[in-house]
Structures are given as structure tokens and as C-alpha cells.
Amino acid sequence: MSQKQDQWTSKLGFILAAAGSAIGLGAIWKLPYVAGTSGGGAFFLIFLLFTIFLGLPLLLTEFTIGRKTQHEAITAYRMLAPGTFWHWIGKLGVATSFILLSFYSVVGGWIVIYLTRAITEGLAGREGTEFEQLFGQTISNPFLAVFAHLIFMVLTILVVRGGVQKGIERFSKIMMPALFILFLIIVIRSVTLPGAMEGVEFFLMPDFSSVTGETILFALGQAFFSLSLGVSIMVTYSSYLKSSESLPRSAVSIVGLTIFISILAGLAIFPAVFSFGLEPAEGPPLIFIVLPTVFSAIPFGSVFFVAFMALLLFATLTSAFSLLEMVVASVTKNDPTKRNKAAWTIGLLIFVMGIPSALSYGVMGDVLIFGNNFFDALDFLVSNIMLPLGALLIAIFAPLKIKKDELYEEIQKSSSIKRGLFNTWYILVKYVTPVAIIIAFLNVLGII
Ligand code: TRP
């Protein structure tokens, strides 16, 4: 077999895979619960600003590096800055992806459990706050939580071992729009519940009195998390890309979709939270408590619930593929003969690493690291330290190691971006992004 880079089978394939990586638990599961604990509307507004002014430019930066070099991340940095330590950005990305997937897959497992339950017993005449207890009972069963996490990891491995994922491309074209439509149905139900407006206000009306340095760092981490930035996944993905795709247009559509689904998620969750008298600061279990509650208030709710959980599982898997792909590609360096073994070995190691996270809402609930359970501690490490750090290094790297004209030339290929817009992007990456990230770090450390 040739050693040449796999290419996406269609133009759409790349967009779907990159959007599939971006859209997942970040927008649907994480954003609502982090917004719920960090001040609602103000958090969401800051997150939006970061997404547009830092996330979008950085996404384009990762795309540019990947397509220019046509190699997975570590090799890409080596090619652009030979003999330097810069390829450690790629290694940091691999380590981050590894840890991230270990707890991401645990939530993937929760979805597997909920989907199975939805199919076998529907919503079973439960209502309102009963779903809160149900979550506790379900997730605190150690065997179930670990087994579901294993199933999710095996599903991920099975796809990634096959190489650039042809089947998924075809699948995504139907699944993504279906997910949007179901979300719209939930939103309509949620905002028409009695007392829902309080939730809409909580989510959309910023109240800056609750904003702290931590809120800002969390919003930054959330922006990178939900766009899959900071670990060079988008470098690896766009390295499979020929020059016929417009990078700026791809970046804008992915950011647009992510923002859209984030708004839908917020409008699905918070009105229902307030209407049913639930707690917005519930943490990671939030959507697993709120969504069944909303579905139980919709005619044929059980059917919709099954469909929604299936689509959510799909969206979560396409993100998980990208995380495993990132680690696998760094080991196999596109040698297809190593792929199968690497996918299984790495995937199972990630499974093992995730076991304590799977137990964090059950038997290991009392094991605290800096006041957080294992799951939350890993999430904090990844989302609020490793991702912003990776993003910072990428933003410093690109303008430093690639000539401005070369960047322009690469971005310009098959897009007709004007010089002025290019310059804006350049300034956002070179100055605004590093300064913002450094200020956020220093602020949380209490230095400024
Ligand atoms: N963006 C995905 C989500 O929102 C998660 C994800 C996939 C990710 N790959 C990533 C997050 C790389 C950070 C970095 O669910």
C-alpha cells in the first residue's frame, strides 16, 4: 500500500469531519453546565466573543499549518521549524487528546446507557425531578459506568482503525441536520413550559456581577474545547486536504454551526431547568437530568428521546474519532500497516486511564483532588490549562515560523480573501490571542 496521505473522499468530507469533531459534547453537554455554574448569560456572552475573535482565527491557523505541510501535527511542526523544540506543541496536543478522550468517553458511556434505557423502558412514566435520582442510581453503578465507557471506546476504535472515515462522511450528511431538527423541537417545548422565561433570561441576559477571573478562563477553555482547538487536531485533519477547499469558508461555517448549536443547547436546557425547579449549577450530570424531563413533557416523548440520544451518541463519536485519530496518527505517521494495532493499543490505554473518571460519580465520589473529583479535576486540567496553553503556543508559532506572505498564499488558495481581512486575522492571531490567554492565566493565578 502506498504511504501517501489519505485524502478525504469528497470536499464535503473534510468539512463534515472537522465539524463532526467540533460539534459534540462541548456545545451540548459542557456549555450548559459550565454556564450554569459560572453565571449564565455573562459567561455565554464572553464565550461567544472568545469563539469569534480567538477561536475562529485560531481554527484558520491550524487549518493553514496542516494543509501547507500535508502532514500530521508533530511532523508538521518539525517541517516548519526543523531542529527546534516547537514540535512539542504537537506532543502536548497528543497528550491533551489522550487525557481528554479518557473522560470524554465516560460521558459517551452515559449516553450509551441512556440510549439503551430509552429503547428498553422509554421514559417509563417518570416525571420532573425523578430524573435526578435516576441519574444518580444509573451512574453510581460502577460496573455499568465502566462497561458503558468501554463500549464507547470500542466503537471509537473500530472506526479509527479503518483510516480516514469514509462511512462517516455519508452518515454525517443525514445525522447532523436531523440533530438540528430534534434540537429545535426540544427548544420549542422548553421555552413554552410555564415559567420558562426565567431560564431564557438566565441564559441570554448577561449579569456581569458574577464574572470573576475564573469565569473568563473557563469561557476561554470552553471556546477552545467546543471548536476542538489547541491540540492541533485541525492541523492533522486539514493535512488530508487538497488545495481546492477554501479554508476561511470552512472555518467560518464550523464556527457558525458551533455557535448555533450552543445557542440551541442553552435554550433547550435553561428554560426547562427553571420551569421544573431544577438546579442550573448541577455540574456534568445537568443535561442527563434535564433532557429526559423535557422529553417527558412532549407527546411521544419516549420516541423523540431515543432519537435524540442516538444522534447525540453519533455527534459524540465523531468528536471522539478526532481525538483518537490525533494520537494514532502521531504514532503511525501514516503507515497504514501500523494503524490497526495502534488504534487498539492506544484506545484501550485511554479506556484504562478513564476508569477513575467513570467511577467519579459513584464509588470514587469522595476522592478529591484540589476539591474536585477525578473527572472534574481532569476536565479542569485539560480545558482550562492544557487547551489554552496549546492554543497560546500555536498562536505564537504560526506568525513566528511561517512568513506572512506564505501564510497569505496558503490561505488565499481557492479563496479570494482580501488583504485587509487577512491582516485582521494576522493581528488577532499574533497579538490579541496570546495577550488574552496570558492575561487570563495571570489573572487566575492572582498575579494581575
Ligand atoms: N469539540 C468537541 C466537542 O465539543 C470535543 C473535542 C474533539 C475536542 N476534539 C477536540 C476538544 C480537540 C478539544 C480539542 O465535543
Side-chain angles (χ1 to χ4, degrees), residues 228-284:
S228 301
L229 292 175
V231 307
S232 311
I233 273 178
M234 295 303 189
V235 173
T236 298
Y237 265 23
S238 57
S239 74
Y240 303 127
L241 193 65
K242 291 247 175 75
S243 298
S244 52
E245 186 69 40
S246 162
L247 296 182
R249 196 171 318 136
S250 310
V252 169
S253 17
I254 290 167
V255 171
L257 281 175
T258 306
I259 291 179
F260 182 57
I261 197 102
S262 303
I263 295 174
L264 287 183
L267 288 178
I269 301 295
F270 292 113
V273 166
F274 282 85
S275 172
F276 289 107
L278 300 165
E279 180 53 59
E282 189 67 60

Side-chain angles (χ1 to χ4, degrees), residues 282-305:
E282 189 67 60
L286 183 67
I287 69 163
F288 293 92
I289 296 167
V290 178
L291 286 176
T293 315
V294 182
F295 280 111
S296 68
I298 295 180
F300 305 107
S302 292
V303 180
F304 284 121
F305 189 50

Side-chain angles (χ1 to χ4, degrees), residues 36 40 56 58 65 75 79 91 121 191 219-220 223 230 263 284 301 354 371 416:
L56 176 60
L58 209 61
I65 296 172
T75 317
M79 287 169 70
K91 293 187 174 163
E121 50 191 276
V191 297
L220 194 63
I263 295 174
S416 47

